[in-house]
Amino acid sequence: MLLLEVGERLQDTFRIVWRIPTLVSELNDCSGWIDWNKKEIHFTDTKNRKAADVGLTEEAVEVLKNLEKYKIDTGSKAAWAASSKYAFARVTDPSKPINDNSYRKKLQKFHYKFGLAERIYVRGKGKRKIYKYKNLFTLKHLRKTFVTHYGREHGEEAASHRVRHSSIKVTREHYFNPKQESLKVKHMYNADSADVVDFKKKEQK
């Protein structure tokens, strides 16, 4: 959800911390922090190292607050991450943020369950079966999805500026899809009822 909200790079989103760091060393260990008063995330772009304040919707703020409450609840399944400064802590070491490898297996199953990946049987019997997964859509694609939605609403130039591309040419050639007829959802929180029904059918399958 957050990737769709902010349109930031996957690696930058991994390393967000809950509060503004107080030490220089902590600043270097994160990509940004949540500013609850301003309802935004303060990022440091990993490519050009420039700061960027990215606004959040009310829905995103609510989800993040619920996530933090869930983590500090001693009775929850996420209590192991209560001491972590990262919004998305690593299961094997809460002092570090998640990365591509730390959740790869779970993400493969998630993609397959929601029709975002293909699964090929390799070997095994019963519950101990080994599969090979081929992604049709990954979380990295969400940055392009964000640019397309944002660009259709505010224009290519605004979209290019929003994600801090070096030129509008980069946005146009690699991120933005101007075909209005292919845009099924006008806003990510106002999906057409038909789309929701179709999604639920796929989930049940």
Side-chain angles (χ1 to χ4, degrees), residues 134-189:
K134 179 183 178 182
N135 285 325
L136 305 175
F137 182 91
T138 69
L139 294 182
K140 290 182 179 180
H141 287 103
L142 292 180
R143 182 168 169 83
K144 294 183 178 181
T145 303
F146 172 86
V147 172
T148 293
H149 276 269
Y150 195 92
R152 284 170 173 170
E153 186 171 348
H154 302 287
E156 286 179 278
E157 188 173 350
S160 183
H161 177 74
R162 173 64 175 71
V163 292
R164 304 178 299 284
H165 283 158
S166 57
S167 70
I168 194 172
K169 182 180 179 182
V170 175
T171 309
R172 184 179 295 124
E173 294 183 356
H174 301 286
Y175 288 83
F176 183 64
N177 179 3
K179 295 180 180 178
Q180 293 288 341
E181 65 273 12
S182 65
L183 183 59
K184 295 182 179 180
V185 181
K186 294 182 179 180
H187 189 280
M188 69 178 103
Y189 300 116

Side-chain angles (χ1 to χ4, degrees), residues 1 5 56-64 66 187 189-190:
M1 176 189 178
E5 279 278 351
L56 296 170
T57 61
E58 293 292 340
E59 292 89 347
V61 172
E62 188 65 24
V63 167
L64 287 170
N66 287 336
H187 189 280
Y189 300 116
N190 295 321

Side-chain angles (χ1 to χ4, degrees), residues 85-145:
K85 63 183 179 182
Y86 293 102
F88 307 109
R90 193 180 306 183
V91 176
T92 54
D93 186 354
S95 67
K96 297 179 181 179
I98 59 173
N99 57 22
D100 288 320
N101 291 326
S102 65
Y103 72 125
R104 180 169 52 88
K105 292 293 184 181
K106 288 185 177 180
L107 190 58
Q108 285 178 340
K109 293 180 180 179
F110 174 86
H111 281 155
Y112 176 72
K113 180 180 179 181
F114 289 99
L116 306 176
E118 295 176 345
R119 188 173 74 176
I120 303 170
Y121 171 77
V122 178
R123 63 179 182 276
K125 294 181 180 180
K127 294 183 178 180
R128 299 180 65 84
K129 292 180 181 178
I130 298 176
Y131 295 96
K132 180 180 179 181
Y133 293 86
K134 179 183 178 182
N135 285 325
L136 305 175
F137 182 91
T138 69
L139 294 182
K140 290 182 179 180
H141 287 103
L142 292 180
R143 182 168 169 83
K144 294 183 178 181
T145 303

